[in-house]
Amino acid sequence: MRFQFCAITRVEPKCKELCLSFIQDAMLQKQWKRAAEFLTFYVESLEKDFSREPVGASEIIWRIGSEILRHHPDSSVKEFNTFIEPMKTLSVKRYLKVCLEHAFYLLHNGLIDEAYQNLSLAESWRFGEQTVIQDKELKLIQAYMGLLDYYKWSKQKNILLEDGKYLSVEQEMHSCFRKAAVNLKEIIKIPGVWDQFVKCYVDMLEFYGDHNEARQVLNEYAYNPKFPANPNAHVYLYQFLKRHGESKKSLISVLKILHDIVPSHELMIDFNTMLQKSKKRKRRRLGLEVIFTALDYAGCKENVKAWSCLARQVKQIKHLAWIKQEWNSRKDWWPAFHFSHYLAKKNWQENESLSYEKALVAGILLGRGNTKFSFLFTT
Amino acid sequence: MEEKEATRDFNERCAQCSEVNWGLTDGGRFYCRSCHNVTEKITEVENTDFTSNIRIQTVSKGLRKQEKTDGGCEWYVCEGFQFVLRKQAEALEALGVCPQMKDEVLWNFWRCYLQKTKQAYCDRPAGETVRPLSVCDSSTDVDSDPERLSLLYSSLSESEGDLQTDCSFVSSTSKVSESTSVRSRSGSVDGSLYLMKNPKEKLRMTMPMTLSFCYMALLWVRETMTLSELLRFVFEGHIPYLNVFQHFPEKMKLRGPDIKIFCVESWPSYEEVFNKMHELAAFLDLPRFPDITDSCFLHPDMLCMKYLMEANLPDEMHNWTCRVVKKTCIGEVDFLTLVPGNKSTRKVKYDVLAAAVIVVTTFCVLLISFTCSQPKMCMFYSDGPYFELKKWYKVLKCTLDVEQKKLDERRAKYLWRCEKPLFYSAKKKSKVLKRRQIVVNLQNQFGRLSGSVQPAEKPNPSSFQLSWSEENTDGSCFHGHSLKGILQEKRGLLTAMNPRYWLCTLKLCNEKLCGHLAHYGEADFPQSYHFVLRLFSFLLRIEPSYIHDEVCMIEHKLFNKKLRKKTKYKTGPRK
């Protein structure tokens, strides 16, 4: 439909746009040979770029070529390497980016050492002003080198644990650690989401017993306002604190924040369990709120443990006012959401324990006679 | 050219003026530059290579320097265009055009052009008033310097036999060549000057204009090739256009501005070539072109027959197209024949006109829209099948989609670069070569990954893009079908069953103001109309809006009386 009218007016830019659209269609339909065929006719745009696109021909060719080579049945790592090298030189402004993507490709194909070589080559690249402008890419490259150093360290660690302590292994481990630490520490300073990097760094720190540094890193990652809100940060912090036997108070404060960000998180169940056991009234009240809120979400609907927590709490609780408070905002929609006739049947057929727990809760909240689960009480 | 060497040794004084200032004529005779006295002395010097058809040579001393570092020589931009024209004319001849077009008509036009633009054949150097600040040594006056060229002239009235007379190029770019910066650089002598000239002034020559020249010559000899066909042949590669400068003689090197002049970056549009041709005809003060009579190929009756065949419509429709042509008077000699400079008559696009006639006839005669139900009659009479619009539509749509897709793929796969890489300056040479190498490597790599794909064959030059054979057993050829199913006998005459006709537009626009007679909007017309326009748009390789313009024009001529009546009353909704 697009090319209904075929006038040959000022067509050269249209020719290449047409060519590009054929390439895109072929790629979307996974016809890699056809895409490659049209790409051969598109590449001359490198010499004379007539396109009016904001993205230049060299970038288009790099991205499309990479994609085709990733999926083409006759392609190989060697083909990709042959292709990517000139792509690096075509644009100085993109040099580091292309290097990084090349490294990803190699990692994807399990070639860790080659990836590392590429990254270190890229890291040593200097090009006047460009090095400053491409600072971000450079940091990323260093970060991934850090990650690969951690991977090496981790392998050495396994050898250590299995075969016993050997000085050479230890020394090598330590050198990997040092290299990795430098780079990882740098990248997590920059506001962003660095889950994997943080985990690896903390893992190494813990191994060498540097708990303070580890705690500091995790705290920074979770609480620095410059960083984007990231539930995982709190999860890591919580897990760390738990591992090191921190006080309930600190654990609760971490989980409270997680509750605010992601009320349906699976850790909420643990949180509730912790809070229920507390002597403080406030905490027990919070526990009730936590578990109710968690069950507001579809994610926990079929979670037996969640229901059993709720069941336990509503049975034991002496403060009916609390339950009333929580139920008030939910009585309109929870019955249809959790206690429908259809769900009752389904739960009964699929998961008896779930059904039992839900029935208990329903019985208390809805009153025995009202609930659709009433048939259960007759058994 | 070895003129310098040849005349160097000849130190005799001229019989007429006693000067020792010799030059060579085309015939190889010595002649005195000061008084133009031709002697009997002949030299064995061969003519230079690249102008074998037209005997134009630069005679001035000091301008032809062949001792360039890259083996090039000095040449002028118009020589380059001349070469292009020659190649195009040869290609046309190979396609079957009469040799007269090339040998006589085109060359006369070209010479006339050169004369009018004062690039040659005249007694005044062209570009004398142009003084580029950077390179000109303005104090030098052409006439005062005896070393400078003197010129001979020939008028258009001269016959070809007199081509022996001396003629030369002249340009004040001789001044340009004095400056060292140009001397060391090869490429055309006046390339940069050429680009600096005001483009509106004097119809500066461009690559699309070469096609205008060709078309003008084709029209003059009334050749059986329309402009749309010419442009199609250019696209298909049968007529040199893209990268033709690659075939310039070795010595004509291209640099910098030459690339901008000769390197094409897009296909020329029909409109562009057409309008330029008319401008050119007026500029050259050409007389009325040879008449287009009803036996000419370009006459609507003839072209309609061709297009009807190509569009797979019944032969019987030809009677109707002729009737439309007659009624609208567009078959008149005076309407069709080109009179350059006449601004009152509308310029005729023969191919578009014929297509528009068919469109009007189709909708006039064959019912308004395809959604009208067909008369329930027996489709086969003893004298052959009846034409069914719906069946025709199905067959044509299928074919058109296939052909369109092929055309789109061909366009997508078109390669624009030339064999020899071009560089604007020596500095960029290495970068350009590197790029070229990368491109070649990529093409090889992805070529291998394309699998076994047959390279696109250059289609054979053919006048018809779609052909239908009555021998096909699937009944997809409609030429022989009868229109009886659609028309009805009324008092012994066949008339359309549905006497109503919807008009595209009630009022025509002023073409000069907005470029179109009417505006073709997709929402305004039924799909059947779009389809028919699309079909002819494909055949003529032109935007449908131009066909729509002609359709509106014809409609207005056809229904002139009714329209005038209508404007008296309040215009109701379009029928």
Side-chain angles (χ1 to χ4, degrees), chain A residues 3-12 14-16 18-19 22 33-34 36-41 43-44 46-48 50 61 65 68-69 72 74-75 79 82-83 86-87 89-90, chain B residues 235 263-270 404-405 407-409 411-417 435-436 438-439 442-443 445-451 453 520 522 534 537-538 541-544:
Chain A
F3 306 107
Q4 208 172 1
F5 307 126
C6 52
I8 310 180
T9 52
R10 302 226 60 83
V11 135
E12 218 285 43
K14 283 191 191 165
C15 269
K16 289 307 176 208
L18 193 56
C19 193
F22 275 112
K33 287 195 176 165
R34 190 171 150 88
E37 184 195 341
F38 278 97
L39 188 59
T40 54
F41 296 103
V43 293
E44 67 166 7
L46 280 178
E47 289 186 81
K48 240 191 203 179
F50 290 103
I61 290 169
I68 293 176
L69 287 172
H72 198 288
D74 300 336
S75 168
E79 287 272 8
T82 317
F83 165 74
M87 293 297 115
T89 58
L90 273 177
Chain B
F235 173 74
C263 201
V264 172
E265 296 186 354
S266 62
W267 297 116
S269 73
Y270 185 106
Q404 183 76 69
K405 185 160 185 258
L407 179 63
D408 283 340
E409 289 205 6
R411 279 169 63 210
K413 291 185 183 175
Y414 212 91
L415 286 176
W416 289 82
R417 66 170 183 152
R435 283 263 162 145
R436 172 55 64 99
I438 293 178
V439 169
L442 284 173
Q443 284 176 330
Q445 183 174 22
F446 285 98
R448 270 184 285 116
L449 292 173
S450 305
V453 175
Y520 179 52
E522 278 205 42
R534 195 181 132 208
S537 171
F538 169 78
R541 310 285 175 94
I542 192 174
E543 288 277 351

Side-chain angles (χ1 to χ4, degrees), chain A residues 102 207 222 240 259 265 282 343:
Chain A
H102 186 197
F207 182 83
F240 175 81
H259 161 70
H265 201 279
K282 228 176 157 187
L343 274 175

Side-chain angles (χ1 to χ4, degrees), chain B residues 549-565:
Chain B
D549 279 347
E550 297 291 312
V551 167
C552 292
M553 190 264 295
I554 292 174
E555 279 177 348
H556 274 250
K557 281 197 201 279
L558 198 58
F559 301 113
N560 201 1
K561 290 185 202 146
K562 290 214 175 103
L563 271 172
R564 271 193 267 137
K565 247 197 242 170

